[in-house]
Amino acid sequence: MKISKKGIEACLACLITCESCIIDCIASGNKECIALCRDCAAICALCARFEARGSRFSQDLHALCAKICGICSEECAKHASHHDSCKACAEACEKCANICEEYATVKI
């Protein structure tokens, strides 16, 4: 299986922005955003690791990652107008969701 540097980079960028968003959302008490960002950061980290080692399960994991990133992006977009970290997170999650969706549907 070919390893996707683009996929790994998107997942890691999403992981980092989710972690930053979590810190800001803790201060504002936004529990829904915190919970989604935690799940998103965790799946992105796992997805990047699976992709880096060329796991045969990467494609399945990319599908789940795309789903979670999409939901996280929608939640963070709700707060983007008053939180820069949510805006950045929404954008990174959307990008990651799109890339993971692409990899999830590629024929192996």
Side-chain angles (χ1 to χ4, degrees):
M1 174 181 232
K2 183 180 176 190
I3 295 173
S4 164
K5 185 177 178 184
K6 180 179 168 184
I8 293 169
E9 288 173 352
C11 285
L12 293 178
C14 190
L15 160 68
I16 291 166
T17 57
C18 281
E19 291 291 346
S20 293
C21 191
I22 290 167
I23 297 301
D24 288 346
C25 286
I26 288 171
S28 65
N30 188 344
K31 292 179 182 178
E32 182 65 18
C33 198
I34 293 166
L36 285 169
C37 283
R38 288 183 70 209
D39 286 349
C40 193
I43 194 70
C44 284
L46 186 60
C47 196
R49 285 196 301 267
F50 273 49
E51 186 65 29
R53 65 178 171 244
S55 172
R56 65 183 177 171
F57 302 107
S58 284
Q59 192 171 24
D60 295 327
L61 198 54
H62 276 299
L64 181 58
C65 190
K67 180 179 181 178
I68 293 172
C69 285
I71 293 168
C72 190
S73 177
E74 290 173 9
E75 179 63 29
C76 285
K78 293 176 187 176
H79 315 286
S81 64
H82 51 279
H83 293 287
D84 288 340
S85 60
C86 281
K87 181 180 180 191
C89 192
E91 292 168 359
C93 288
E94 182 179 9
K95 180 178 179 179
C96 190
N98 290 335
I99 290 170
C100 283
E101 182 67 33
E102 178 184 321
Y103 290 122
T105 58
V106 170
K107 300 281 185 199
I108 310 176

